[in-house]
């Protein structure tokens, strides 16, 4: 299956540790969504917003990887699954169930996200914009 990663799951080493069968395919942009950070965990989330973009990574994952991600993402309590189509192929990602206000991420978490942006060669301007929210 195809999985759209953002936040800490962009970090290739972390993603491989969480999902041993995962294969990074390429960077992609999710249109009409914006990146934010929220909840008591100060974790990354995406929410619908017209004319916005969330840069991320497209991974191929196995069913067992999906189950491991479900546990890691605390599905369905903290995150729920969201599906979209990319060039006719169904892609899964996670969005937070509860849309709490913005909370600046911890330095440790933010460093993991920044490393993921470097791993995937993503435009950091979108990350900086999300951090100013």
């Amino acid at each position: 299956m195809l999985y759209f990663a953002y936040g800490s799951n962009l970090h290739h080493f972390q993603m491989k540790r969480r999902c041993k069968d995962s294969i990074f395919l390429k960077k992609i942009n999710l249109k009409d969504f914006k990146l934010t950070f929220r909840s008591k965990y100060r974790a990354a989330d995406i929410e619908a917003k017209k004319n916005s973009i969330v840069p991320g990574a497209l991974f191929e994952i196995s069913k067992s990887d999906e189950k491991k991600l479900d546990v890691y993402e605390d599905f369905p309590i903290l995150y729920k699954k969201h599906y979209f189509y990319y060039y006719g192929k169904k892609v899964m990602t996670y969005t937070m169930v509860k849309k709490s206000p913005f909370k600046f991420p911890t330095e440790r978490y933010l460093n993991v996200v920044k490393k993921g942006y470097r791993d995937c060669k993503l435009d950091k301007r979108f990350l900086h914009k999300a951090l100013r929210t």
Side-chain angles (χ1 to χ4, degrees):
M1 81 179 296
L2 296 176
Y3 168 65
F4 175 75
Y6 63 92
S8 64
N9 287 344
L10 293 170
H11 189 292
H12 288 191
F13 178 78
Q14 290 236 93
M15 188 62 180
K16 201 50 129 167
R17 192 173 62 189
R18 291 173 187 157
C19 302
K20 68 177 178 65
D21 298 327
S22 67
I23 299 168
F24 171 75
L25 299 174
K26 64 183 188 174
K27 63 181 182 177
I28 67 169
N29 291 326
L30 180 59
K31 295 178 181 172
D32 295 327
F33 278 82
K34 77 171 193 166
L35 176 67
T36 190
F37 297 86
R38 59 171 44 113
S39 87
K40 67 181 180 181
Y41 305 106
R42 305 187 219 177
D45 186 27
I46 56 174
E47 62 184 21
K49 181 164 186 195
K50 285 278 188 206
N51 301 317
S52 291
I53 293 173
V54 176
L58 189 64
F59 284 88
E60 186 175 321
I61 63 171
S62 66
K63 270 300 194 191
S64 65
D65 284 342
E66 180 185 11
K67 288 177 183 174
K68 289 174 187 166
L69 274 176
D70 285 351
V71 171
Y72 175 77
E73 301 294 354
D74 198 12
F75 169 79
I77 307 302
L78 184 61
Y79 285 91
K80 63 183 177 181
K81 292 183 182 180
H82 174 80
Y83 296 91
F84 63 94
Y85 286 88
Y86 180 76
Y87 289 101
K89 295 189 178 186
K90 191 174 182 180
V91 180
M92 185 273 292
T93 194
Y94 295 94
T95 64
M96 280 192 183
V97 172
K98 214 176 195 183
K99 301 297 186 192
S100 63
F102 172 83
K103 295 211 177 182
F104 202 86
T106 64
E107 186 176 345
R108 182 187 168 286
Y109 181 79
L110 184 54
N111 286 336
V112 170
V113 174
K114 286 178 180 178
K115 175 69 169 96
Y117 267 68
R118 284 191 301 275
D119 287 350
C120 298
K121 297 177 177 53
L122 298 176
D123 186 342
K124 290 187 193 122
R125 287 180 296 170
F126 292 93
L127 176 59
H128 296 299
K129 184 178 179 182
L131 293 169
R132 288 189 302 251
T133 303

